[in-house]
Amino acid sequence: MLLLFASFSVGAQEYAVTFSQPHGFYDSPFEVSISQAGDGQEGGLAIRYTLDGSEPTFLSTLYQGALRVKGNTILRAAAFNGEVRVSPVSTATYLFLDDVLRQSNNPEGYPDTWGEFTDIWGTAEADYEMDPEMTSNAKLAKKIRQGLTAIPTLSVVTDRDGLFSHIPDSAQGGIYIYTGTPVGDGIGRGWERHVSMEMFGGDDQNLNLTVNCGIKLHGGHSRLAEKNPKHSFRLMFKSEFGPGKLNYPIFGPDGPEKFDQLILRCMFGNAWQHWDGGNRKRAQYERDTWARTVQSLMGHPASRVRYVHLYLNGMYWGLYNLAERVDDYYCSSNFGGKKSEYDVIKVEEDHAGHTIEPADGTMEKWDEMMALVNKASSSNAAYFQLTGCNASGEPDNSVEPLLDVDNFIDHILINQYGGNTDWDYHNWYAFRNRESADCGFRFVCWDSELIFGSPTENNLGYFNNGAPTYILNRLVRNPNFLHRYMDRAYKHLVAPGGWLTPERVVQVWDSLYNVIALPLYAESARWGDYRRDVHPYMSQGELYTVDDYYLPERQRLLTEYFPFRSEILVEQLKDRGWYSKVEVPQMRLNGQPLGTDVDTLTHADVLTFTNYRSVYFTVDGSQPVSWAASSSGTLQPEARRFANGMNVLDEVDFSTARTLTVRAIMRGSSSNWSPTVERTFVLDQASGIVPVRHEQIASNDAVYDLQGRRLPDGSPLRKGVYVKNGKKILVR
């Protein structure tokens, strides 16, 4: 059966070239036939092909019959009418695991040096091979093989010189040689090349994509040859390369289906090829993905990523993240509206240093926001205006919100929990739709690789001008923001189910590890020997293997970081005055602590608080205390003071309400307040509680009260809820 892969060229689709075998991994030799739609060959058209990654020309080999494929092969073909190419270039990558493991350090036609160093003298020695010390080890080789097919393969195919030519020319130079570093001469910055991109394999059996697009280098200091031999790329979908947009659900059915750019992240920080020895020993390849995942789980926008194995012209290049680029197209495709409506703010790194500027749109609304931030430290009216409220703190559609406060706080907490040492003088994005104005600027985690170092890391003192920590340090002076910050910190760091509690952090961490547990062996074989055998840079490296380096660091995080970091951060926040020392009231349902799931309640249930002294609560979703009029806090009319023996549910009308949101806060001395605890319940008239009228316990019944104490046989039962033979009953 002939399989047509998605190639694009306006006006030439009727002559598209197809292959009889799809791209992918093969175990044994096979034959592949090339054909062309529309009986073009009978009309005098010729098919020409290449096997070195270059685009076919009228001088390329003429196709005359089926080709025998015995090893790693890059097949590119197109139809020609004389000297004129009349079809798009079709590409198929055929891979054999044995060939991948035997990948040598002297591929034919490729240079033995790459780019010149920038901060030190010298030129980078090229490194192409899979480490033979690992691939010759039968135990490791088995895991490498398994790892290579465990996640999707992404193959980039292009003319060899477009990547590795030493000609210093914007049209002919290799982008892997002239990387366009942010320091030094910057040669190569913005150079683009035509490529074919293919994706296949892994657990996603439906993944099958081939598309022509553009490519260029991506990143900041990861472009420096001495600091990093494994570079990041940006894939661009433009009409000059192929389709104007990629129309394919790269990130699955829950993500967008159209893209104009994608990032291939090499994972530079805390990686085995990094220039710093201590950095290499912390390699996990999950840190940045964890930050993005947690931001999404908190309910905020995040840049999606998925793990892939990258191949350049059939050579294995390592484990990468394929990621959404945060720009105006990302905003419009994920949140609606037009590209032109969005302001996207980032930090640009260049010879001038770190400059906050618009990646798209303008700085006008950002500057308005920063002006209000400066005023809000001493003005409630300015703070309320910042959040889209009137001077009394009530939401007002006539007031344009400029900051999404909850998103901003959660972005801060993620980076504080991680102890991010490479933020926020760079590595963040903020965006906002200036036309709809239904939400203020929202912040997106980016390049969060230098996190999870010491469990006692304290970055609360960061105060970078114009950056998120500047905004934080100004706003915490306002009691309205400060108490919201405390509430979010409690929600994520302390409350059951919070995404920054030890249990949840490990849950996400392990879910990512399970994806790359085997692929890491392939990454180790590709780059684990670089700082030992190729370029030590500052100090001689080791042979970085999964068993000797990755797993011990993983164990350190599981035993020394994650179990303690939440509590340590809370204490750091208290020391800075950013978290209350007043204990948070704890809710109890029928005498038991609440779980992490939404509970279903009936009028027979009992909802109470521990530490009930000076606890105030609401059942209508409103805040019990407001700081709009006084920095000491003002109890709101809806707030009730909890008393011993009170059932919060007595305040609820079960006949009309379907959900219930309870908020509670405790007052300490000197009008200090705890963070606010919040919980939403589902209300039901009959949630599995059996009403009974028995007044005594039969001898064969096992009946317990809601504190778990078994009642003696024959005991009289008063009105209330009990557990009888494992089921909840209501005695009327």
Side-chain angles (χ1 to χ4, degrees):
M1 181 179 70
L2 299 181
L3 299 176
L4 173 62
F5 297 100
S7 298
F8 300 86
S9 181
V10 176
Q13 285 301 320
E14 66 236 57
Y15 300 122
V17 169
T18 61
F19 306 121
S20 61
Q21 296 292 336
H23 50 200
F25 283 93
Y26 288 82
D27 297 324
S28 57
F30 61 93
E31 289 191 345
V32 58
S33 300
I34 310 175
S35 62
Q36 181 250 316
D39 296 325
Q41 288 171 284
E42 295 181 10
L45 299 185
I47 296 176
R48 296 186 179 273
Y49 69 92
T50 65
L51 300 174
D52 63 357
S54 62
E55 290 191 358
T57 70
F58 73 96
L59 296 176
S60 299
T61 304
L62 177 67
Y63 174 72
Q64 295 179 311
L67 305 176
R68 183 75 169 167
V69 177
K70 298 183 292 184
N72 285 359
T73 299
I74 304 297
L75 177 59
R76 308 193 80 185
F80 289 82
N81 186 355
E83 297 183 1
V84 179
R85 178 163 65 86
V86 295
S87 78
V89 175
S90 295
T91 305
T93 299
Y94 303 118
L95 298 172
F96 292 73
L97 289 175
D98 286 343
D99 279 9
V100 177
L101 266 65
R102 288 193 295 261
Q103 187 169 300
S104 74
N105 208 33
N106 54 351
E108 184 178 355
Y110 285 80
D112 56 9
T113 61
W114 289 342
E116 293 184 1
F117 296 147
T118 302
D119 287 339
I120 61 175
W121 181 88
T123 302
E125 183 179 342
D127 181 39
Y128 304 99
E129 73 175 1
M130 296 286 278
D131 180 65
E133 187 175 340
M134 297 191 203
T135 58
S136 62
N137 180 305
K139 182 179 178 180
L140 285 178
K142 180 180 179 180
K143 292 183 177 181
I144 295 168
R145 289 170 179 272
Q146 294 172 328
L148 285 168
T149 57
I151 59 175
T153 291
L154 192 150
S155 173
V156 169
V157 177
T158 188
D159 181 80
R160 176 185 60 225
D161 289 345
L163 293 173
F164 295 106
S165 169
H166 279 270
I167 299 174
D169 180 81
S170 61
Q172 302 179 63
I175 62 173
Y176 219 86
I177 307 300
Y178 302 101
T179 60
T181 59
V183 296
D185 57 26
I187 295 177
R189 191 77 169 180
W191 289 4
E192 300 176 353
R193 299 291 178 258
H194 292 70
V195 300
S196 170
M197 183 193 87
E198 303 165 72
M199 284 189 70
F200 54 84
D203 290 336
D204 188 349
Q205 300 300 315
N206 297 317
L207 185 61
N208 183 10
L209 169 67
T210 303
V211 61
N212 293 327
C213 60
I215 196 171
K216 64 180 181 180
L217 262 289
H218 174 83
H221 280 252
S222 64
R223 296 169 179 257
L224 274 65
E226 66 270 29
K227 287 189 173 182
N228 183 35
K230 177 191 176 190
H231 298 307
S232 296
F233 299 93
R234 187 184 305 178
L235 299 167
M236 303 163 294
F237 305 97
K238 303 178 182 179
S239 57
E240 64 187 278
F241 303 125
K245 295 287 184 292
L246 173 62
N247 190 357
Y248 194 88
I250 287 286
F251 300 103
D254 296 331
E257 294 187 355
K258 290 186 177 182
F259 306 89
D260 65 350
Q261 299 187 65
L262 292 167
I263 305 299
L264 275 167
R265 299 185 62 258
C266 70
M267 292 175 281
F268 169 48
N270 283 331
W272 285 317
Q273 81 280 359
H274 195 274
W275 59 273
D276 175 69
N279 196 293
R280 295 192 291 270
K281 292 179 180 179
R282 290 192 293 270
Q284 290 288 283
Y285 299 90
E286 299 172 58
R287 287 173 166 90
D288 176 73
T289 308
W290 173 88
R292 298 169 190 250
T293 303
V294 167
Q295 186 166 44
S296 177
L297 290 170
M298 287 178 172
H300 304 300
S303 168
R304 296 175 179 84
V305 294
R306 71 180 304 174
Y307 290 103
V308 298
H309 285 306
L310 176 64
Y311 289 76
L312 295 181
N313 282 359
M315 293 181 290
Y316 179 59
W317 221 254
L319 181 67
Y320 276 71
N321 265 160
L322 184 64
E324 290 182 286
R325 180 172 183 261
V326 181
D327 57 12
D328 52 6
Y329 191 81
Y330 160 87
C331 294
S332 63
S333 62
N334 280 281
F335 312 110
K338 300 177 181 178
K339 288 174 52 178
S340 59
E341 297 174 354
Y342 282 91
D343 296 325
V344 182
I345 310 301
K346 68 169 186 174
V347 179
E348 179 64 25
E349 298 179 72
D350 52 29
H351 296 80
H354 299 80
T355 306
I356 298 177
E357 62 179 36
D360 300 293
T362 72
M363 292 286 286
E364 180 181 352
K365 292 300 178 181
W366 177 267
D367 291 340
E368 286 185 28
M369 180 190 75
M370 294 304 296
L372 284 174
V373 164
N374 288 325
K375 294 178 182 179
S377 61
S378 58
S379 167
N380 282 340
Y383 174 75
F384 293 144
Q385 183 180 347
L386 188 69
T387 62
C389 296
N390 61 26
S392 300
E394 300 295 328
D396 189 335
N397 291 333
S398 67
V399 180
E400 185 178 14
L402 292 172
L403 179 66
D404 184 327
V405 169
D406 285 355
N407 162 270
F408 172 74
I409 293 173
D410 292 355
H411 172 85
I412 293 289
L413 288 170
I414 290 170
N415 286 281
Q416 290 174 336
Y417 175 87
N420 196 341
T421 58
D422 197 27
W423 165 92
D424 65 330
Y425 63 93
H426 67 169
N427 289 339
W428 55 269
Y429 282 90
F431 69 89
R432 180 180 181 276
N433 188 317
R434 81 181 78 85
E435 298 298 329
S436 65
D438 58 347
C439 188
F441 275 103
R442 289 180 280 182
F443 289 76
V444 178
C445 292
W446 186 261
D447 205 8
S448 307
E449 293 175 333
L450 299 187
I451 60 175
F452 302 161
S454 167
T456 60
E457 182 70 49
N458 190 333
N459 63 1
L460 303 188
Y462 288 8
F463 197 166
N464 293 303
N465 188 34
T469 53
Y470 177 90
I471 298 172
L472 172 65
N473 278 275
R474 300 295 294 180
L475 292 184
V476 289
R477 302 176 187 179
N478 186 294
N480 298 279
F481 176 86
L482 176 60
H483 283 275
R484 188 59 184 167
Y485 181 82
M486 291 181 186
D487 293 349
R488 302 299 289 185
Y490 172 78
K491 175 183 175 68
H492 295 309
L493 290 164
V494 181
W499 288 110
L500 299 179
T501 58
E503 297 78 14
R504 287 292 202 182
V505 171
V506 172
Q507 175 186 335
V508 175
W509 190 253
D510 282 350
S511 72
L512 300 175
Y513 170 70
N514 289 335
V515 174
I516 62 172
L518 286 171
L520 286 165
Y521 286 91
E523 170 70 13
S524 175
R526 180 65 178 89
W527 295 107
D529 66 336
Y530 184 82
R531 293 300 176 185
R532 185 192 69 173
D533 300 338
V534 182
H535 185 236
Y537 192 19
M538 300 179 69
S539 61
Q540 185 73 38
E542 307 288 341
L543 181 64
Y544 298 100
T545 64
V546 175
D547 294 345
D548 292 336
Y549 285 93
Y550 183 93
L551 293 180
E553 170 65 3
R554 171 174 161 78
Q555 184 67 12
R556 180 189 75 86
L557 293 172
L558 292 174
T559 59
E560 299 178 22
Y561 193 98
F562 298 145
F564 309 109
R565 178 57 183 169
S566 305
E567 184 177 351
I568 289 172
L569 177 56
V570 168
E571 292 303 314
Q572 291 173 344
L573 294 172
K574 288 180 180 179
D575 290 344
R576 203 168 182 86
W578 293 356
Y579 193 88
S580 176
K581 296 181 180 180
V582 179
E583 187 177 356
V584 174
Q586 302 295 320
M587 293 187 195
R588 292 289 187 271
L589 178 59
N590 301 320
Q592 300 300 314
L594 294 175
T596 58
D597 298 327
V598 174
D599 289 284
T600 300
L601 306 180
T602 75
H603 62 279
D605 287 310
V606 178
L607 186 65
T608 59
F609 296 102
T610 61
N611 308 320
Y612 53 82
R613 189 176 305 166
S614 299
V615 172
Y616 297 86
F617 70 93
T618 62
V619 294
D620 63 352
S622 63
Q623 293 288 351
V625 177
S626 169
W627 285 269
S630 170
S631 60
S632 298
T634 304
L635 281 169
Q636 297 302 284
E638 297 81 6
R640 291 282 313 277
R641 183 168 182 170
F642 184 79
N644 190 21
M646 178 185 289
N647 181 4
V648 172
L649 299 184
D650 290 342
E651 309 293 320
V652 180
D653 184 354
F654 279 80
S655 65
T656 58
R658 290 294 175 263
T659 62
L660 168 68
T661 296
V662 178
R663 287 192 170 102
I665 192 170
M666 185 154 63
R667 180 162 57 190
S669 60
S670 302
S671 295
N672 292 322
W673 297 89
S674 74
T676 303
V677 60
E678 175 183 332
R679 190 64 181 263
T680 297
F681 303 91
V682 174
L683 301 183
D684 193 340
Q685 287 289 342
S687 63
I689 297 181
V690 180
V692 298
R693 295 185 180 276
H694 300 299
E695 295 182 354
Q696 285 188 311
I697 303 173
S699 60
N700 61 342
D701 291 337
V703 179
Y704 299 82
D705 66 17
L706 293 179
Q707 282 69 48
R709 296 176 297 225
R710 181 165 181 171
L711 303 183
D713 294 347
S715 297
L717 294 181
R718 299 181 180 182
K719 292 182 180 180
V721 179
Y722 300 86
V723 177
K724 175 183 177 182
N725 297 328
K727 294 183 179 180
K728 193 182 291 186
I729 61 172
L730 168 64
V731 177
R732 294 175 176 173

